[in-house]
Amino acid sequence: METQSCVEVKNEWGIVAARQAGRTLSKEIGFGNVDQARITTAISELARNIYLYAKPGEICLEVVEKTTKTGLKKGIQIVARDRGPGIPDIRQVMIDGFTTSGGMGAGLPGVKRLMDEFTIDSKTGEGTTVTATKWLR
C-alpha cells in the first residue's frame, strides 16, 4: 500500500492537479468512466474545501487492497489533510444543503455518497483529515 501521489492544495491549480492525478490513477486501476467521474468529483470537492477553508493542505491518493469472500478487491483511497481551523460541528457540515461559502452545500455529504467508505476527523485549531475509498466492482 504505497502512496501513489500527494498533491499540495494552496491555490486553484492544486485543485486541478489533484483532479488530474485522481482521474489518471483511477483509470490505471481499471475504474470505468462513471466511477472515474465520481472519484474526480469527490477529489474536487475535498480539494476545494481545503482551498476555501484551510489552505494549505494536501490530497493523497493510494491504491488499496482488501480480501473479501470473493477474493482480492482493489480500490483507490483519497486522503484530504489540512492544518486549518478544523470543523467545530461535523454533524452540521454533513447535512445536505449546509454551506458557509454560498455554494450548493453538496460538499462533504456529496463526497460520502460518491464513495464507498468515508471518515472525517477534525480538531478545532489543528485541522481536518477526510478519508474516502472507492472499490472496483
Side-chain angles (χ1 to χ4, degrees), residues 62-75:
E62 184 176 7
V63 177
V64 290
E65 295 178 341
K66 73 176 178 181
T67 305
T68 65
K69 292 178 185 175
T70 58
L72 195 62
K73 211 171 194 181
K74 205 177 220 182

Side-chain angles (χ1 to χ4, degrees), residues 101-120:
S101 67
M104 295 188 323
L108 293 174
V111 171
K112 185 176 182 179
R113 279 191 302 274
L114 290 167
M115 303 298 283
D116 297 321
E117 297 174 10
F118 177 91
T119 60
I120 183 167

Side-chain angles (χ1 to χ4, degrees), residues 22-77:
R23 179 159 313 266
T24 299
L25 185 57
S26 61
K27 188 175 184 178
E28 287 173 5
I29 295 169
F31 283 100
N33 289 335
V34 173
D35 278 338
Q36 287 177 39
R38 287 181 178 124
I39 291 164
T40 55
T41 300
I43 290 168
S44 185
E45 285 292 334
L46 293 169
R48 184 177 166 278
N49 282 351
I50 290 170
Y51 173 68
L52 289 175
Y53 306 114
K55 62 186 163 199
E58 66 181 359
I59 300 282
C60 294
L61 307 171
E62 184 176 7
V63 177
V64 290
E65 295 178 341
K66 73 176 178 181
T67 305
T68 65
K69 292 178 185 175
T70 58
L72 195 62
K73 211 171 194 181
K74 205 177 220 182
I76 186 169
Q77 185 174 74

